[in-house]
Amino acid sequence: MLSKKMEEALNAQVNAEFWSAYLYLSMSNHFAAAGNQGFANWFSIQFQEEQAHATIFMKYVLSCGGKVTLAPIAGVKTEWKSPLEAFEDTLAHERKVTALIHGLCVLADEEKDFGTANMLKWFVDEQIEEEANAQEYDSCPVGYIGRIAWFCIIRKKGRHNAPLLFYVQRGCIIHYDTPFRFVFYGFKR
């Protein structure tokens, strides 16, 4: 059985997970509207994961005899100047979620709620992965221009000075220096 304090904290986390899903859905829609389907897809997958996280918390509360109380979801940002800005926001957000999960762990310890502490272990591990994913700005398809598929690798700050634009034309890799802080490369479809 959950203490009232733990039940309230878990319900707050349900709301935070749905807010996270809402944020990623907003990012997905932003990039879909901009024609960047690769980014839209990546953020859509994140949206689905966050919904799954909320569901895990809700099922846990119910399995412990608690009551799930859904609260309104606050508004989220709807526009980003670049993919890099979106990934920077993603990393900052995932760090906040990590702090929330750690706070739940501390509360479970204070309440001597070993069942909740055990359930939270998965979320602690998940947040390590989420932060790593947000930091590993990996290649992401951003869409097609004609018959050329473009991909983006966003470079971490300070690692390189001159981002490059890459695409494949007639089997040859072509690149151009660009003023952007991310790297594109692509292949023919």
Side-chain angles (χ1 to χ4, degrees):
M1 178 146 205
L2 296 172
S3 70
K4 187 69 175 164
K5 192 173 182 181
M6 182 58 72
E7 183 178 311
E8 288 172 357
L10 291 171
N11 273 303
Q13 188 62 37
V14 168
N15 184 267
E17 297 294 338
F18 279 127
W19 190 91
S20 296
Y22 200 45
L23 175 67
Y24 291 134
L25 181 60
S26 180
M27 289 176 170
S28 178
N29 285 315
H30 167 79
F31 287 111
N36 295 330
Q37 294 307 315
F39 285 116
N41 184 59
W42 193 87
F43 285 113
S44 178
I45 291 167
Q46 297 308 112
F47 161 70
Q48 293 167 25
E49 283 185 15
E50 299 306 329
Q51 287 182 305
H53 295 168
T55 301
I56 291 168
F57 278 109
M58 289 186 294
K59 286 182 177 181
Y60 180 77
V61 168
L62 293 171
S63 73
C64 293
K67 180 180 178 195
V68 173
T69 307
L70 298 177
I73 300 170
V76 295
K77 186 174 175 178
T78 59
E79 293 185 17
W80 290 265
K81 294 177 185 170
S82 68
L84 180 61
E85 180 184 9
F87 276 96
E88 288 172 341
D89 286 357
T90 297
L91 179 56
H93 175 67
E94 289 300 339
R95 286 178 174 158
K96 287 178 189 173
V97 173
T98 297
L100 292 173
I101 297 295
H102 289 173
L104 289 173
C105 291
V106 169
L107 179 59
D109 185 54
E110 290 171 355
E111 298 281 317
K112 300 201 182 322
D113 184 342
F114 304 113
T116 300
N118 187 55
M119 182 271 298
L120 290 170
K121 166 108 176 60
W122 182 87
F123 282 97
V124 170
D125 294 341
E126 176 69 6
Q127 282 311 118
I128 291 168
E129 181 183 323
E130 293 291 343
E131 285 191 35
N133 285 340
Q135 290 179 59
E136 290 298 321
Y137 302 134
D138 204 356
S139 61
C140 301
V142 295
Y144 291 92
I145 300 174
R147 295 189 51 132
I148 299 173
W150 293 90
F151 291 79
C152 176
I153 298 176
I154 301 174
R155 293 182 170 168
K156 295 179 183 180
K157 292 179 183 177
R159 287 189 70 188
H160 303 284
N161 292 329
L164 302 172
L165 177 64
F166 287 92
Y167 68 96
V168 175
Q169 185 175 40
R170 296 186 185 116
C172 299
I173 295 175
I174 312 284
H175 77 271
Y176 295 94
D177 288 334
T178 69
F180 305 110
R181 292 177 63 197
F182 40 90
V183 175
F184 288 95
Y185 68 94
F187 62 89
K188 286 186 176 181
R189 62 175 163 169

